[in-house]
Amino acid sequence: MANSDPIQEGQEAMLGGDYFSDQDIFLGLLKDDPQDDNALYHLGLCHIASEDWTEAEAVLRRCLEINPRHIDALIELGEVEFAQNRPEQAMLSFSQATSLEPRNARAWVAVARIHEMLGMDQEAVENYEKAMVLADPMDAPSYDLALAYARTGRYLRADILLDGLISETLRQGTQNFATDLSPGTRDDLMDYLSEMKADRDEIRSAYEEEFGFPIDTARWLYRAHLIFQEVEPELQNAILAEIRMLRQIGIDEAGTAATYRLQSMEGHFCGRQLLCLEFALTRLLFSDEGKARPDNQVIPEIVAAWPEVEALFS
């Protein structure tokens, strides 16, 4: 049965790469009603798809003259201005969109991209964070935010975010492989995963270079810190006393003992979290060879890492 909705028919033509048929459909709608802002908007998308920036801008501005509150047209106008290397004008369009519709995640992402281009990384982080709260999970700018965190020195946050994104991408890819994912799409997915993993490796290297130990050590501290602070002082003292004992028996034996207790505490949330602290401090206290390291080496490393750990709880 033929599609009776001209707008939907035009969208399907554009998705199939048939921009000329698409334009004819929207031009036909505009012939019947020159004030059809939705037809103008979709005609602008056709010109964007074919990178006809001048015509796209003219059509989108006509759309906004008719309907100044057309949020999607405002965002697309900003994209056209951005594509023509006019970031200041693009920022005005995107900012107007966020003013008209403060809960539009795409508009906040667009603002963040302009800040990135201008080297305003902290502002980019703030706007990506707004978008993360507002966006649907599938559309959240997790990757962009992770890279922005890394540029502002928040390596732990970047690493945690990328880890989650890689795991979710793998999960979705596994589901799609079982259905009808085409070879080309599979290649794109693998390229995307490779890119994320390369960025994660670079972030981890930067962290280790700055702090002198692997980022996963700090992640152990991150996971354990709040729980450790919440338990009663007697238990805190007992844990710290046990860590001092672990220093004496060596890292291999300490790891074995802690693993055994972890298995025996299955379902004991607080116990498992406290073990994270034991593992973290044990890894800091011992060298790769399992030999105890002097306090004058260990304590500065903990102090250096702690601001980054504390920032995760703010």
Side-chain angles (χ1 to χ4, degrees), residues 127-247:
N127 288 301
Y128 279 133
E129 287 178 333
K130 290 177 185 177
M132 287 287 289
V133 173
L134 299 170
D136 292 331
M138 292 296 294
D139 299 322
S142 305
Y143 197 1
D144 295 310
L145 177 57
L147 297 181
Y149 277 149
R151 286 195 301 273
T152 54
R154 281 167 275 193
Y155 302 119
L156 274 177
R157 293 190 184 204
D159 186 63
I160 292 167
L161 200 54
L162 274 179
D163 254 3
L165 184 57
I166 289 169
S167 297
E168 179 61 19
T169 303
L170 281 169
R171 186 189 67 79
Q172 292 179 13
T174 301
Q175 289 180 345
N176 291 333
F177 285 154
T179 55
D180 58 355
L181 196 61
S182 66
T185 306
R186 293 184 188 188
D187 291 342
D188 289 343
L189 178 62
M190 297 310 295
D191 288 344
Y192 182 50
L193 282 169
S194 296
E195 183 179 355
M196 284 193 290
K197 289 178 179 179
D199 284 327
R200 184 185 61 183
D201 291 344
E202 186 174 337
I203 288 167
R204 290 178 173 181
S205 295
Y207 185 92
E208 187 164 358
E209 181 178 347
E210 181 169 341
F211 292 109
F213 56 90
I215 198 169
D216 58 350
T217 298
R219 288 183 66 166
W220 282 116
L221 287 166
Y222 152 61
R223 290 167 181 161
H225 177 66
L226 280 184
I227 299 296
F228 185 77
Q229 294 301 316
E230 289 174 359
V231 301
E232 59 272 16
E234 292 79 7
L235 182 54
Q236 288 185 1
N237 291 333
I239 291 293
L240 293 174
E242 184 173 16
I243 290 170
R244 285 193 290 271
M245 180 270 292
L246 294 176
R247 288 194 65 177

Side-chain angles (χ1 to χ4, degrees), residues 38-203:
N38 207 26
L40 281 166
Y41 166 68
H42 283 89
L43 181 59
L45 293 183
C46 295
H47 292 304
I48 290 173
S50 59
E51 298 186 1
D52 185 350
W53 308 121
T54 301
E55 194 62 29
E57 182 172 351
V59 170
L60 290 170
R61 289 193 182 280
R62 281 174 54 202
C63 171
L64 290 165
E65 286 173 5
I66 296 166
N67 180 7
R69 300 185 66 85
H70 198 303
I71 299 298
D72 290 333
L74 262 175
I75 294 174
E76 293 299 340
L77 176 61
E79 296 287 1
V80 169
E81 292 164 335
F82 186 81
Q84 296 178 92
N85 198 28
R86 289 150 52 197
E88 291 81 7
Q89 288 178 276
M91 178 64 89
L92 289 175
S93 297
F94 295 144
S95 297
Q96 188 177 350
T98 61
S99 297
L100 290 172
E101 196 172 303
R103 297 192 62 79
N104 189 302
R106 187 182 168 210
W108 288 113
V109 169
V111 170
R113 286 175 51 225
I114 298 293
H115 282 138
E116 282 182 331
M117 182 181 183
L118 299 175
M120 302 167 66
D121 289 324
Q122 179 54 41
E123 290 81 358
V125 165
E126 292 169 3
N127 288 301
Y128 279 133
E129 287 178 333
K130 290 177 185 177
M132 287 287 289
V133 173
L134 299 170
D136 292 331
M138 292 296 294
D139 299 322
S142 305
Y143 197 1
D144 295 310
L145 177 57
L147 297 181
Y149 277 149
R151 286 195 301 273
T152 54
R154 281 167 275 193
Y155 302 119
L156 274 177
R157 293 190 184 204
D159 186 63
I160 292 167
L161 200 54
L162 274 179
D163 254 3
L165 184 57
I166 289 169
S167 297
E168 179 61 19
T169 303
L170 281 169
R171 186 189 67 79
Q172 292 179 13
T174 301
Q175 289 180 345
N176 291 333
F177 285 154
T179 55
D180 58 355
L181 196 61
S182 66
T185 306
R186 293 184 188 188
D187 291 342
D188 289 343
L189 178 62
M190 297 310 295
D191 288 344
Y192 182 50
L193 282 169
S194 296
E195 183 179 355
M196 284 193 290
K197 289 178 179 179
D199 284 327
R200 184 185 61 183
D201 291 344
E202 186 174 337
I203 288 167

